[in-house]
Amino acid sequence: MKSTSEWLKLLGENDIPAMRVHDLDSVLEDEHLKAIGVFSVMEHPTEGLIRYIEPPVHLHKTRVVFVGIPID
């Protein structure tokens, strides 16, 4: 059985696009997602700081609803 690193190396050598599957902790630390601003933080009136995913598109005159995860 191959490890994730071994598979990624083998797939990369054969020009097959692939990446690791994230869990909740690792996705928040992904450098690419940080760089493109996928996650933001806001102050919730009763829950304190929450982290949420930015909408992938921004439409003119459209109301955005935020659903976030409280930050411990």
Side-chain angles (χ1 to χ4, degrees):
M1 183 181 313
K2 293 187 185 330
S3 69
T4 301
S5 295
E6 291 170 323
W7 277 115
L8 290 173
K9 182 176 185 290
L10 180 64
L11 293 168
E13 289 168 350
N14 289 282
D15 294 322
I16 300 170
M19 66 177 284
R20 292 181 187 275
V21 176
H22 285 294
D23 60 18
L24 183 57
D25 292 327
S26 67
V27 75
L28 296 173
E29 298 305 318
D30 183 278
E31 292 302 320
H32 175 72
L33 298 179
K34 284 181 180 180
I36 63 172
V38 170
F39 301 105
S40 290
V41 174
M42 68 183 288
E43 181 76 31
H44 186 277
T46 61
E47 301 303 315
L49 289 178
I50 61 170
R51 181 178 290 118
Y52 64 94
I53 298 173
E54 286 286 343
V57 293
H58 297 271
L59 305 174
H60 182 67
K61 295 185 180 182
T62 301
R63 183 171 169 259
V64 177
V65 177
F66 296 100
V67 176
I69 300 169
I71 299 174
D72 297 325

